[in-house]
């Protein structure tokens, strides 16, 4: 029985001792501990993994943690039992490279999630969902139907008890209706090195500006477009010999790798969000 | 006798043949040729190195090149005899890392330039100039004295027949008075991955945004702040564990390497500027 | 009508002029030219793209090129008409990540080849071939049957007029019987930064050595194991926190990207081999 | 009063709790804790920073730590009071780039060490020592005088109470006489991506092999040549266009950056050595 615990709270004297003492009293053996203090924001972050060789009651543990630690220290915290697979929905539009990448990782056992469905505003990628035998929902979206479409999305998400959503080059803006239900639980890939080239057509903008490096950024979706907490970024060199088409082709490799890394970090409970930034544990 | 020739003009049929034919007629042997066509802008760029085993008159060559090639094809071009060392001025303020880096490269023979002087609006780095036995000019600058200071700068530049200027973390804005005299001949280092975080305090801005990669950018100075043609960029990964102070320390390594690479490319006549972008030959 | 021409020969005075002059006489317009001289080996390499706006006879062109250029200059050369798709065979074993990556790129139009078949010594990946509707040949191999298996392979290759072979984590050694038929035409991916960790289990060896960076290398297959001409390499940082399993997972991303880049360079005729090294044109 | 503590021992249940409990009892406040378990070797590593707001006796602390923690858990451990500057000797030969880099970092306050002297088997770099006003010892070395020279070295090291040695492109082999006095305390920079190209002339070997990436490696010196625990590595892309001279010039930038990073990690007590590998804390 292995438990991953994530904690953040105001930085205070004695927290590490208080938590390790509590776990010791409960018969837990800390097998991993990483912590971080944001000295500017005076916030403490900790991620622990704890084994309980002599049995463990989840309900009792959570209740006592809440009373004895979380309340006195005003912690925000969560804990996750090993082996519980998160339910992940994938939203796509017409580009297939990120979808292929996620599904082939899933198939090879690298991504320990269930994928109850793939959703798209187009039908172009239905054939990939079919290849991988994953249900595909076509929810078209337009200015007029946006509200209705989001209702359908929310219902699908709820019915499948989705834990988090991956926007794998889903070219639509997700509104607060959905974001509010999935705070820090919608992962997007943007095809630029944010904050450079936010918004539409970043490769065109990068080409015009004559940059020598292009990038991709995976971030949690917030209401501010392309401005949510960054999870992962990576870059590739380019030169004057590359056309916009070359940027796009090279960028595909970045996008799929960066998105998959971010999804893995999220699935392994290695991300914490604070002040529109992320703490990424190793 | 080796000549480096840089050419750009509207893309036209038969240019490569016309140039190589002309050089052949003049007894030249092309030992290097690289060319590039910007298909969007329909502009042709070429860099050649030519050896003349049977003697060579520079004046005659330039006159004929102008008449037989440059005028018919409406070329902009320049040619550079091997062994002529460019005169490079360095402008600094208080930070020493880029200056040390340039001077130690110069001393070890890596940078084939002369450095007639170092100029600064402060006296902090005069001791380094003294260590390396290079004249140091202190030209203080303030809102009121800016105009007068720039006059002094221009006079110093003119007296030493300076070919190009390196701003090695010179924290002052260079005005059009100086830029107009040195178009595409002033090289700046900006401590961010442009166009992200242009302007003041880029490391603070990068920290606040929570980026996972920081960068540095070397570019030719134009009147638009931090918006000139990019010569070279590089990046380093950062994480939540790094403070602003860490960003600054890591950034110093980026800045000095990126600036020195850009200076070398310029000195070796490997850069061409067009449409606020650069072509960088290999 | 666009032609790509690759040339290499002993470095001699006047070659660039000779070639461009010949092309001009044939009515060709050089739209791209890149050349390289290996000064140690005194060998000249050139890649050109030429358009023939006024018609073009391939047979006549090749005959005259041979007589007027190739023979006098003792060139090795090849030329390739735009639009002719190479026939690419993929050999795999049990790992699926490189195969998925190649096939999804092929499907999205990024790889301009035909894939007549996938061959494996196991049946594990037959389902992927089926998903992508590509013929799958199961050719088991063992010490005893190696010779017979290679005969079957050669027959399959011949029947499909295969131009080149990609070993997408094919865990078998390819013998000279096959290599001799496909010199510089078999592309392998090795999961280390060669020449470090050649041979079996490179991630285990890298872990034991405690390296801080892992790599992958794509190279042409020669008889010397993992010692052929390197086409492309890339690396990723690792740390003490990563297990061998982590190395393997991270390595998969490297392998598929590096292999695909190498395949693309080969397909676009951007590689030339000399002295067990490659020249890679941009 | 801030203390950095480094611990390693066999992995056992309850260590984190035992240590944090002990520190709590001593009035210490843990402000940083990072730990690592090497699951293969079953070894536990921990780095802590502890503040003692209510006073602190170093002798008493060390005695109790030894009795109550180190002995029962069979720990190897060390502790370091903030503000104690390590004494660092630099050994050089004829190349100046690493020396310039270290000294300019030292001068700008980035490296918090004292540098009692620079030692060389040549006098070429004495002028740099003079520029930076650091004593310079010339200790020539030859096959016949090696033993005597090492005696002189050891005496110089002892007289200046040197804590660790940086070999900044010192081209001599350091024998066990010196290594035994400075186990895991001599930092070397090797100009290749180890374990590839160990030994002499790595850039020549890399050029011959046709690699597409070159590297540099900083490691602790052990008796096995270029085979000690790796602290830091970095790489740069190269291509067929680069000569050996280019490799060497590019490599200089790698060498100085990689060496300086390794020295900083060592100075900040972020490195631990085990099984000929390093644990590098963040």
């Amino acid at each position: 029985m292995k438990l991953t615990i994530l904690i953040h709270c105001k930085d205070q004297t004695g927290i590490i001792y208080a938590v390790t003492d509590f776990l010791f009293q409960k018969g837990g053996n800390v097998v991993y501990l990483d912590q971080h203090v944001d000295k500017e924001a005076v916030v403490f972050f900790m991620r622990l993994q704890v084994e309980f060789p002599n049995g463990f009651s989840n309900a009792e543990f959570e209740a006592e943690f809440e009373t004895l630690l979380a309340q006195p220290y005003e912690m925000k915290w969560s804990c996750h039992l090993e082996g519980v697979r998160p339910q992940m929905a994938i939203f796509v539009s017409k580009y297939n490279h990120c979808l292929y990448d996620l599904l082939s990782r899933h198939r090879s056992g690298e991504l320990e999630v269930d994928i109850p469905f793939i959703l798209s505003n187009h039908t172009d990628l239905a054939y990939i969902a079919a290849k991988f035998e994953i249900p595909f929902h076509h929810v078209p979206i337009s200015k007029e139907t946006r509200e209705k479409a989001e209702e359908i999305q929310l219902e699908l998400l709820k019915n499948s008890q989705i834990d988090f959503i991956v926007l794998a080059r889903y070219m639509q803006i997700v509104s607060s209706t959905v974001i509010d239900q999935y705070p820090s639980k919608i992962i997007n890939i943007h095809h630029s090195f944010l904050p450079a080239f936010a918004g539409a057509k970043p490769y065109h903008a990068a080409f015009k500006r004559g940059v020598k490096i292009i990038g991709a950024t995976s971030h949690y979706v917030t209401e501010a477009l392309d401005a949510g907490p960054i999870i992962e970024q990576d870059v590739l060199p380019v030169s004057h010999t590359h056309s916009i088409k070359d940027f796009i082709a090279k960028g595909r490799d970045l996008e799929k790798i960066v998105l998959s890394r971010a999804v893995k970090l999220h699935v392994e409970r290695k991300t914490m969000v604070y002040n529109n930034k992320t703490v990424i544990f190793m």
Side-chain angles (χ1 to χ4, degrees), chain A:
Chain A
M1 179 58 60
K2 192 152 124 193
L3 203 66
T4 299
I5 307 173
L6 296 172
I7 297 168
H8 79 257
C9 59
K10 195 167 150 288
D11 189 28
Q12 299 153 74
T13 302
I15 301 181
I16 295 177
Y17 173 70
V19 173
T20 53
D21 186 37
F22 170 81
L23 294 169
F24 181 77
Q25 306 305 337
K26 303 298 301 172
N29 183 28
V30 175
V31 294
Y32 164 94
L33 186 162
D34 198 359
Q35 52 73 239
H36 169 65
V37 175
D38 183 327
K39 276 169 193 162
E40 283 219 341
V42 200
V43 180
F44 174 88
F45 300 88
M46 187 155 60
R47 179 174 184 267
L48 303 110
Q49 292 189 314
V50 194
E51 287 174 354
F52 292 87
N54 308 314
F56 170 78
S57 149
N58 201 21
E60 185 193 309
F61 178 86
E62 294 202 5
E64 291 192 24
F65 193 103
E66 183 62 31
T67 315
L68 297 176
L69 285 175
Q71 284 175 8
Y73 287 94
E74 297 184 51
M75 290 172 179
K76 299 204 172 171
W77 69 291
S78 63
C79 72
H80 310 276
L81 277 172
E82 194 180 40
V84 177
R85 293 168 74 89
Q87 306 299 300
M88 170 176 111
I90 306 178
F91 284 23
V92 294
S93 190
K94 293 185 172 184
Y95 296 112
N96 65 20
H97 53 288
C98 288
L99 182 60
Y100 264 130
D101 195 66
L102 288 167
L103 296 182
S104 61
R105 284 173 204 273
H106 183 244
R107 175 60 83 111
S108 67
E110 189 182 320
L111 269 186
E112 299 195 356
V113 297
D114 292 330
I115 305 177
F117 65 82
I118 295 164
L119 180 151
S120 181
N121 55 328
H122 294 286
T123 54
D124 300 58
L125 303 186
Y127 77 98
I128 300 180
K131 268 199 220 305
F132 286 84
E133 293 159 13
I134 293 173
F136 181 88
H137 298 304
H138 177 218
V139 182
I141 207 158
S142 65
K143 261 189 190 164
E144 297 71 35
T145 64
R146 178 169 299 276
E147 231 171 287
K148 179 65 190 159
E150 287 178 345
E151 264 176 51
I152 298 171
Q153 289 180 359
L154 282 175
E155 179 137 348
L156 287 166
L157 293 166
K158 196 178 154 196
N159 288 347
S160 293
Q161 295 179 282
I162 293 300
D163 292 303
F164 73 105
I165 303 165
V166 177
L167 308 183
R169 299 298 311 275
Y170 178 65
M171 310 299 284
Q172 296 296 313
I173 288 172
V174 174
S175 79
S176 57
T177 314
V178 178
I179 296 172
D180 289 350
Q181 300 296 313
Y182 288 90
S184 300
K185 287 180 177 169
I186 307 175
I187 300 173
N188 186 40
I189 179 72
H190 183 74
H191 39 315
S192 85
F193 184 79
L194 287 175
F197 310 124
K201 299 218 171 237
Y203 293 128
H204 290 72
F207 181 82
K208 188 165 187 312
R209 179 64 187 90
V211 294
K212 299 302 182 188
I213 292 175
I214 54 169
T217 303
S218 190
H219 63 94
Y220 287 116
V221 174
T222 58
E223 282 194 56
L225 184 66
D226 297 331
I230 293 171
I231 306 168
E232 176 77 9
Q233 299 188 293
D234 208 348
V235 295
L236 273 179
V238 290
S239 77
H240 67 273
T241 63
H242 296 110
S243 63
I244 291 177
K245 209 183 136 197
D246 295 328
F247 278 31
I248 291 170
K250 282 171 164 282
R252 278 197 292 261
D253 284 355
L254 276 177
E255 294 160 26
K256 72 187 188 188
I257 297 285
V258 168
L259 178 60
S260 289
R261 283 191 204 143
V263 170
K264 269 179 89 169
L265 289 168
H266 182 88
V267 169
E268 294 169 356
R269 320 284 185 188
K270 292 185 170 173
T271 66
M272 293 184 77
V273 172
Y274 190 79
N275 273 3
N276 205 43
K277 296 165 67 168
T278 59
V279 170
I280 305 291
F281 291 107
M282 302 254 292

